[in-house]
Amino acid sequence: MKLSDGFDARRLRPRGPGNWRWRLAAALSALLASFGVLLAMAGAATLLGRPPALGPLNDSTGAAIVLFLFGLLFLWIGVLAWRLCRRWSRRRSGLSMSPHLMKKRD
């Protein structure tokens, strides 16, 4: 199919305002997930018999279990928020195309 000289595909889907808010939220949620990984690793290190990584904060086994569970919770919440932010930042406004015609990116 031959395109005419005056055709501009960028006019079909006008660019809206930038999505810097969603990028910032995705970065903060990635930081939360990485903090969760670090907490879980510190709790697991204490549970496996290594010296406490956080000093007197996780000396006992109970404190190490709580630290490990909070780390997993922060990891789960961070990954969930990161996925949600990416989904909202990729949402397009403009042409309404059928979802099965779009490329699968997520």
Side-chain angles (χ1 to χ4, degrees):
M1 181 171 157
K2 186 176 180 182
L3 298 177
S4 66
D5 289 333
F7 179 75
D8 186 17
R10 287 175 284 189
R11 285 185 300 143
L12 292 177
R13 193 175 310 228
R15 293 202 43 101
N19 55 359
W20 59 269
R21 281 177 250 135
W22 293 114
R23 288 181 185 175
L24 181 65
L28 289 177
S29 59
L31 280 175
L32 181 69
S34 61
F35 180 66
V37 167
L38 291 175
L39 274 181
M41 285 174 50
T46 303
L47 287 175
L48 292 175
R50 302 286 182 215
L54 297 177
L57 188 61
N58 61 345
D59 280 337
S60 66
T61 306
I65 290 173
V66 168
L67 199 63
F68 182 72
L69 291 178
F70 272 117
L72 288 181
L73 180 70
F74 284 164
L75 173 66
W76 182 68
I77 290 172
V79 168
L80 195 67
W82 182 74
R83 290 182 67 193
L84 185 69
C85 290
R86 279 187 50 91
R87 185 176 300 145
W88 275 95
S89 70
R90 290 184 181 271
R91 180 171 285 183
R92 294 193 171 99
S93 60
L95 284 180
S96 297
M97 294 182 73
S98 182
H100 72 277
L101 295 175
M102 307 265 263
K103 289 185 178 178
K104 303 285 189 272
R105 293 192 181 179
D106 288 334

